[in-house]
């Protein structure tokens, strides 16, 4: 049995290219005592992957050159060697990396119930992006009924859930996304109140028109110019959640910070960064509540699934071009 793996070959400067990764194929080694063999069905593609390639101080160490590219993954246990915690057939998720098979002693692997949700959903709404949305908007954004919430990257895996949770909690929600189709999706399918197409509208003019009363919470996934513009719309005691800054991840030099930051002073607002793993002990609580919302039809989840580990790089690039709808996932099992 062979394992196709995406090996991280070279740290990119700016946008990753063909030299960044290499597809390799190696036989799956024999299991040692206590180990499990997981056959991956799906790999999660996340903007954070870009940050993990940089040899800089961050919330986790960078991916080492020569290692399998780090990623979230989900699949099934297909063999065990004296491991009492897992059985053949268990559906499990972890940071298995961009490869078709993963071996480990089971630490860091979590069983999920395929009867409750599909595997791709466990990488999105019921996985890391969904948890980020839940804790980011409730714990850091501290939303309350009646708040005006602005979210960037609004049609993405995190942003789409942020906006829907804010609607469930009785907020007015404005989403910023790239393209007319995504904006229509936010309003017509997800129930957002307004949407701004940052690719065709002037962001300052659009904010003036669509957030005339300002915002109580700005949940930022993209940084750069959009963060700067949103800072000019803060109401008194607003909360700015720094979740990500995808517009800056491929910068070759310094990232562009906000120049409008003194509006925090004027409005006595806070701007706070978050890392989802800080909330890991409460993931179960969030998953239960979000699972119930999904069942009741209050929360919608959309996954965009591509196929073939050979297509990893071109699928990854969709995160940055925006050519995808919802949570980006790669199917790596060959049938
Ligand atoms: P995603 O939204 O599913 O995919 C990325 C989206 O970003 C694209 O679809 C594209 O949408 C948008 N985008 C790309 N380049 C852009 C640019 N230059 N300006 C504006 N928008 C751009 O990704 P996600 O998984 O939900 O992640 C969203 C953000 O959350 C990322 O910054 C990620 O790093 C961050 N994050 C943080 C944590 C944490 O713990 N802090 C955890 C998970 C994710 P459009 O078509 O709308 O342009």
């Amino acid at each position: 049995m062979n394992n196709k793996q995406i090996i991280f070959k070279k740290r990119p400067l700016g946008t990753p290219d063909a030299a960044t990764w290499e597809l390799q194929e190696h036989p799956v080694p024999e299991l040692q005592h206590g180990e499990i063999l997981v056959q991956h069905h799906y790999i999660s593609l996340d903007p954070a992957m870009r940050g993990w390639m940089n040899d800089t101080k961050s919330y986790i160490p960078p991916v080492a050159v020569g290692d399998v590219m780090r990623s979230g993954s989900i699949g099934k246990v297909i063999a065990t060697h004296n491991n009492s915690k897992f059985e053949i057939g268990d559906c499990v998720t972890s940071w298995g990396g961009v490869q078709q098979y993963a071996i480990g002693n089971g630490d860091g692997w979590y069983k999920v119930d395929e009867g409750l949700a599909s595997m791709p959903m466990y990488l999105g709404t019921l996985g890391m992006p969904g948890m980020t949305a839940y804790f980011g908007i409730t714990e850091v954004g501290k939303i309350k009924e009646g708040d005006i919430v602005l979210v960037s990257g609004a049609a993405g895996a995190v942003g789409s859930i942020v906006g829907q949770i804010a609607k469930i909690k009785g907020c007015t929600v404005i989403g910023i996304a790239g393209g007319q189709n995504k904006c229509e999706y936010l309003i017509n399918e997800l129930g957002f109140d307004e949407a701004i197409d940052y690719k065709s509208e002037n962001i300052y003019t659009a904010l003036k028109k669509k957030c005339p009363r300002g915002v109580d919470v700005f949940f930022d996934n993209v940084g750069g110019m959009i963060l700067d513009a949103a800072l000019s719309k803060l109401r008194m005691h607003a909360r700015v959640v720094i979740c990500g800054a995808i517009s800056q991840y491929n910068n070759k030099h310094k990232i562009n910070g906000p120049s409008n930051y003194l509006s925090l002073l004027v409005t006595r607002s806070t701007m706070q960064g978050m890392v989802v793993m800080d909330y890991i002990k409460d993931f179960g609580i969030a998953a239960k509540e979000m699972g119930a919302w999904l069942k009741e039809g209050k929360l919608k989840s959309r996954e965009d699934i591509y196929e073939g580990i050979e297509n990893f790089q071109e699928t990854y690039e969709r995160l940055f071009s925006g050519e995808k709808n919802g949570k980006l996932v790669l199917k790596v099992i060959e049938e």
Side-chain angles (χ1 to χ4, degrees):
M1 208 157 60
N2 277 352
N3 185 14
K4 289 184 191 161
Q5 306 175 306
I6 298 292
I7 304 297
F8 181 54
K9 290 295 281 186
K10 188 169 177 259
R11 294 198 191 284
L13 179 65
T15 302
D17 59 20
T20 307
W21 297 286
E22 186 177 87
L23 177 67
Q24 294 184 4
E25 194 165 346
H26 300 286
V28 174
E30 266 187 31
L31 291 188
Q32 303 296 308
H33 186 89
E35 287 186 333
I36 60 171
L37 174 63
V38 178
Q39 181 173 32
H40 282 158
H41 288 225
Y42 299 94
I43 296 300
S44 178
L45 290 141
D46 296 283
M49 289 169 134
R50 180 63 193 87
W52 301 335
M53 295 179 219
N54 295 335
D55 193 9
T56 49
K57 190 168 171 262
S58 188
Y59 56 94
I60 46 168
V63 182
V65 172
D67 276 5
V68 173
M69 182 63 204
R70 182 185 294 148
S71 75
S73 61
I74 189 162
K76 293 222 170 154
V77 176
I78 58 165
T80 68
H81 190 310
N82 291 321
N83 185 304
S84 56
K85 285 199 233 140
F86 294 91
E87 285 176 18
I88 291 174
D90 282 347
C91 185
V92 289
T93 181
S94 187
W95 298 98
V98 189
Q99 56 181 342
Q100 291 177 309
Y101 297 91
I103 290 180
N105 63 7
D107 285 354
W109 285 92
Y110 299 96
K111 290 185 207 178
V112 295
D113 184 350
E114 252 194 297
L116 293 179
S118 67
M119 286 201 214
M121 208 188 280
Y122 281 112
L123 296 179
T125 304
L126 293 177
M128 188 270 286
M131 297 300 131
T132 306
Y134 184 95
F135 292 103
I137 197 64
T138 58
E139 298 284 324
V140 187
K142 297 184 176 67
I143 41 167
K144 51 186 189 322
E145 197 178 341
D147 276 349
I148 302 173
V149 175
L150 176 68
V151 52
S152 62
V158 175
S160 61
I161 304 301
V162 166
Q164 291 184 83
I165 294 175
K167 283 307 300 176
I168 291 168
K169 301 280 182 187
C171 304
T172 298
V173 179
I174 302 103
I176 305 173
Q180 192 63 30
N181 286 346
K182 288 188 181 181
C183 287
E184 281 170 13
Y185 170 72
L186 294 180
I187 294 175
N188 300 335
E189 296 288 325
L190 303 188
F192 282 41
D193 298 279
E194 290 283 2
I196 296 170
D197 172 9
Y198 76 92
K199 287 187 174 167
S200 72
E201 296 180 68
N202 174 288
I203 188 76
Y204 282 93
T205 315
L207 284 173
K208 207 170 172 184
K209 192 170 147 208
K210 294 172 183 173
C211 301
R213 294 187 293 134
V215 303
D216 297 292
V217 177
F218 174 49
F219 191 104
D220 191 24
N221 288 310
V222 309
M225 182 192 69
I226 289 176
L227 169 60
D228 214 18
L231 286 177
S232 70
K233 296 302 292 178
L234 301 184
R235 301 178 89 186
M236 290 299 287
H237 305 288
R239 285 83 67 201
V240 178
V241 183
I242 302 295
C243 175
I246 193 167
S247 73
Q248 306 298 307
Y249 291 173
N250 286 320
N251 285 10
K252 287 190 178 155
H253 303 295
K254 277 205 303 192
I255 66 155
N256 299 315
S259 60
N260 277 338
Y261 78 96
L262 282 182
S263 73
L264 296 166
L265 180 157
V266 176
T267 59
R268 288 76 156 171
S269 296
T270 58
M271 182 151 94
Q272 187 181 333
M274 70 157 297
V275 173
V276 64
M277 299 319 286
D278 294 349
Y279 301 91
I280 196 163
K281 71 171 179 29
D282 293 326
F283 278 9
I285 299 170
K288 205 170 161 197
E289 189 162 23
M290 294 210 289
W293 289 334
L294 284 163
K295 220 171 170 178
E296 293 164 29
K298 290 181 180 167
L299 190 63
K300 289 186 183 162
S301 179
R302 178 144 93 163
E303 297 82 32
D304 203 352
I305 302 168
Y306 292 82
E307 274 193 47
I309 194 164
E310 294 82 1
N311 299 321
F312 165 72
Q313 186 179 338
E314 65 172 69
T315 310
Y316 163 89
E317 284 166 1
R318 291 176 186 276
L319 290 167
F320 293 85
S321 67
E323 287 168 61
K324 54 122 194 134
N325 292 301
K327 169 65 196 158
L328 189 61
V329 171
L330 186 64
K331 186 175 179 185
V332 295
I333 187 171
E334 290 170 5
E335 282 159 331

